């Protein structure tokens, strides 16, 4: 049994779905169901006894203590976080609350649980913290990609809160001996990505005939990884990572934002041409830049490849085509997110049947 936090969000849900399909080991999924949590994403697991969903907060120590005592997980994978940089600029408090205080509370509960385990289970236990390349700050056009040796220079409220959580995880290892692993991944994309982030927003807005807002000059560089490849990296680190180590995760896919937007437009032109025969590129609109916008991220994932033999399965070309095709085939998921109907799943599945959600 493993305990996953934030498993109703974009990456966490992809991880849980893959885990259920491949591992045969039960998973407890603790998620607060903020605006970013979507139980519709997990609908295929509704009748799966190996997936136990619990609505709750990683900052709720009493709930955590109860869940750990009841389910006795052999590992925790911590995805739960506020994840959107723009939201962190407009309202940073939730980011400090969940990413910093929440991670602290989670670490403390896990430490109490782990300390009391029998020696063999204590030795085998793992706490894997899922983090981001944004903690390293911004690169110039000529800097080498981030390695695990880069110093932390977070620039946004989001990345500062993630950096703080990484430091807490590190300290709980060095001070208390908690067996931790940290992964720092580049930008993910793929199915079930909330359409506030660049790639899904562009797909959804393009299809709705809305403007495609490109911040600043559109020449900021991000390094893209298909979400399923991030999930396989996490499974590999969980299985064989060296305790206390951090592993960068990325697929060497640096692209300027405007190139991403043009690629999405080209795929939509091919797969769902506009009625007027024009390109979706016509909808691109340059808008005011994000304050403090990091110019370039790039991940050097050679440590993970060298030590643990991990490699991504998708190239950017295959991954982005799959992603656009997924959004075209899953209009209902998108429509329910846009209308807010996905929130009704909480009521339908859990609040109407409290026993199922009971912790
Ligand atoms: P997301 O915003 O899609 O999902 C976050 C999930 O966490 C949601 O289901 C939400 O309900 C849940 N959550 C939020 N606060 C919580 C709390 N206090 N207690 C319990 N659950 C809570 O995020 P994502 O894109 O899936 O990112 C998951 C993790 O991966 C985050 O830690 C993020 O920092 C990290 N990460 C994301 C990317 C990326 O490109 N998306 C890249 C690298 C690392
Ligand atoms: O690098 C990893 C990080 O990637 C994760 O830690 C974050 O959780 C995740 O949200 C993502 O952060 P970004 O800020 O890079 O992602 P976002 O999709 O918001 O933006 C990607 C780039 O596109 C960024 O340079 C800003 C730009 N952008 C974004 C939006 C939403 C636009 O130009 N227009 C937009 O409308």
């Amino acid at each position: 049994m493993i305990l996953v936090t934030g498993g109703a969000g974009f990456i966490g849900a992809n991880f849980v779905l893959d885990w259920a399909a491949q591992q045969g080991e039960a998973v407890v999924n603790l998620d607060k169901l903020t605006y970013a949590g979507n139980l519709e994403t997990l609908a295929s697991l509704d009748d799966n006894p190996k997936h136990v969903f619990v609505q709750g907060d990683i900052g709720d120590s009493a709930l955590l203590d109860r869940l750990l005592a009841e389910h006795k997980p052999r590992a925790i994978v911590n995805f739960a976080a506020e994840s959107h940089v723009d939201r962190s600029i407009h309202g940073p408090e939730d980011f400090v609350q969940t990413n910093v205080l929440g991670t602290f509370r989670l670490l403390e509960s896990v430490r109490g649980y782990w300390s009391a385990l029998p020696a063999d289970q204590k030795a085998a236990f793992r706490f894997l913290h899922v983090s981001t390349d944004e903690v390293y700050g911004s690169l110039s056009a000529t800097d080498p990609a981030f390695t695990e040796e880069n110093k932390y220079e977070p620039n946004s409220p989001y990345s500062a809160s993630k950096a703080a959580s990484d430091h807490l995880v590190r300290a709980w290892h060095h001070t208390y001996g908690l067996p931790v692993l940290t992964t720092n991944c580049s930008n993910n994309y793929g199915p079930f990505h909330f359409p506030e982030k660049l790639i899904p927003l562009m797909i959804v807005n393009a299809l709705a005939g809305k403007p495609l807002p490109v911040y600043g000059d559109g020449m900021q560089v991000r390094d893209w990884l298909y979400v399923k490849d991030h999930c396989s990296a996490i499974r590999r680190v969980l299985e064989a990572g060296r305790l206390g180590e951090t592993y960068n995760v990325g697929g060497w896919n640096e692209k300027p934002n405007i190139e991403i937007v043009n690629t999405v437009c080209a795929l939509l032109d091919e797969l769902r041409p506009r009625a007027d025969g024009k390109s979706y590129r016509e909808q691109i609109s340059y808008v005011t830049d994000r304050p403090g916008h990091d110019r370039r991220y790039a991940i050097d994932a050679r440590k993970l490849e060298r030590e643990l033999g991990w490699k991504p399965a998708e190239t950017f070309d295959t991954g982005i085509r799959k992603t656009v095709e997924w959004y075209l085939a899953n209009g209902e998921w998108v429509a329910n997110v846009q209308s807010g109907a996905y929130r009704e799943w909480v009521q339908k599945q859990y609040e109407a049947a409290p026993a199922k959600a009971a912790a």
Side-chain angles (χ1 to χ4, degrees):
M1 162 79 74
I2 66 165
L3 171 67
V4 166
T5 71
F10 165 47
I11 306 171
N14 273 287
F15 181 86
V16 166
L17 290 168
D18 288 357
W19 188 273
Q22 296 170 12
Q23 304 297 125
E25 184 180 12
V27 50
V28 177
N29 182 351
L30 172 66
D31 194 297
K32 187 178 177 181
L33 295 178
T34 67
Y35 80 94
N38 187 342
L39 286 178
E40 208 173 327
T41 303
L42 298 168
S44 63
L45 300 180
D46 267 355
D47 297 319
N48 186 334
K50 291 197 166 165
H51 176 243
V52 180
F53 181 80
V54 179
Q55 185 176 4
D57 194 318
I58 58 166
D60 181 345
S61 305
L63 171 63
L64 287 168
D65 293 345
R66 205 146 35 93
L67 285 178
L68 292 167
E70 185 185 340
H71 296 289
K72 302 187 173 38
R74 68 165 180 92
I76 315 286
V77 184
N78 182 31
F79 291 97
E82 288 293 336
S83 69
H84 189 37
V85 174
D86 292 329
R87 284 181 192 257
S88 83
I89 293 166
H90 296 296
E93 187 153 345
D94 285 348
F95 289 72
V96 175
Q97 195 66 37
T98 283
N99 301 0
V100 186
L101 196 59
T103 304
F104 158 71
R105 296 245 172 86
L106 178 62
L107 282 166
E108 276 296 78
S109 284
V110 171
R111 181 166 75 90
Y113 163 73
W114 167 79
S115 305
L117 286 175
D120 57 334
Q121 290 174 37
K122 203 172 167 186
F125 186 81
R126 297 290 181 268
F127 180 97
L128 192 151
H129 179 61
V130 180
S131 192
T132 169
D133 59 359
E134 298 201 13
V135 298
Y136 297 123
S138 186
L139 295 167
S140 75
T142 53
D143 284 333
F146 299 125
T147 72
E148 292 78 1
E149 307 307 317
N150 273 73
K151 63 179 178 184
Y152 273 35
E153 291 182 331
N155 291 320
S156 71
Y158 163 69
S159 54
S161 68
K162 289 298 290 187
S165 69
D166 293 8
H167 290 322
L168 291 172
V169 170
R170 176 190 156 91
W172 261 239
H173 175 67
H174 283 267
T175 305
Y176 304 113
L178 192 70
V180 308
L181 300 153
T182 298
T183 52
N184 294 88
C185 189
S186 60
N187 284 63
N188 284 216
Y189 67 101
F192 304 115
H193 205 180
F194 197 85
E196 63 183 352
K197 310 279 169 63
L198 180 72
I199 289 178
L201 182 75
M202 294 300 143
I203 299 170
V204 165
N205 274 13
L207 293 171
K210 291 182 181 167
L212 308 180
V214 173
Y215 298 164
D217 64 2
M219 291 306 291
Q220 304 82 7
V221 171
R222 295 292 181 267
D223 188 352
W224 294 93
L225 185 70
Y226 193 64
V227 64
K228 301 288 184 190
D229 284 326
H230 187 188
C231 295
S232 75
I234 290 169
R235 288 195 300 276
R236 186 68 191 127
V237 173
L238 188 60
E239 182 177 63
R242 285 189 291 129
L243 292 187
E245 292 290 313
T246 65
Y247 292 90
N248 282 355
V249 187
W252 304 95
N253 286 310
E254 281 186 65
K255 311 264 179 214
N257 292 337
I258 190 63
E259 189 181 322
I260 296 289
V261 178
N262 280 326
T263 301
V264 167
C265 289
L267 281 164
L268 288 173
D269 288 342
E270 175 196 326
L271 299 168
R272 182 75 57 87
R274 265 174 45 158
D276 63 5
K278 293 185 178 161
S279 171
Y280 286 99
R281 285 197 182 104
E282 303 255 328
Q283 290 165 232
I284 292 174
S285 160
Y286 287 90
V287 300
T288 308
D289 208 352
R290 173 186 278 175
H293 199 168
D294 284 340
R295 194 68 182 164
R296 174 177 166 240
Y297 304 142
I299 274 285
D300 181 334
R302 278 178 295 185
K303 177 177 172 184
L304 179 56
E305 293 169 16
R306 193 176 57 243
E307 287 190 13
L308 303 183
W310 174 84
K311 279 211 181 319
E314 302 291 341
T315 64
F316 186 72
D317 286 350
T318 59
I320 193 70
R321 180 173 286 273
K322 280 187 183 175
T323 303
V324 171
E325 285 172 349
W326 187 89
Y327 278 88
L328 288 173
N330 288 276
E332 199 184 346
W333 184 90
V334 173
N336 286 345
V337 169
Q338 288 179 316
S339 70
Y342 73 111
R343 310 294 306 160
E344 289 165 17
W345 274 73
V346 180
Q347 284 182 320
K348 195 169 83 191
Q349 300 292 312
Y350 296 97
E351 286 163 12
K356 198 172 174 191

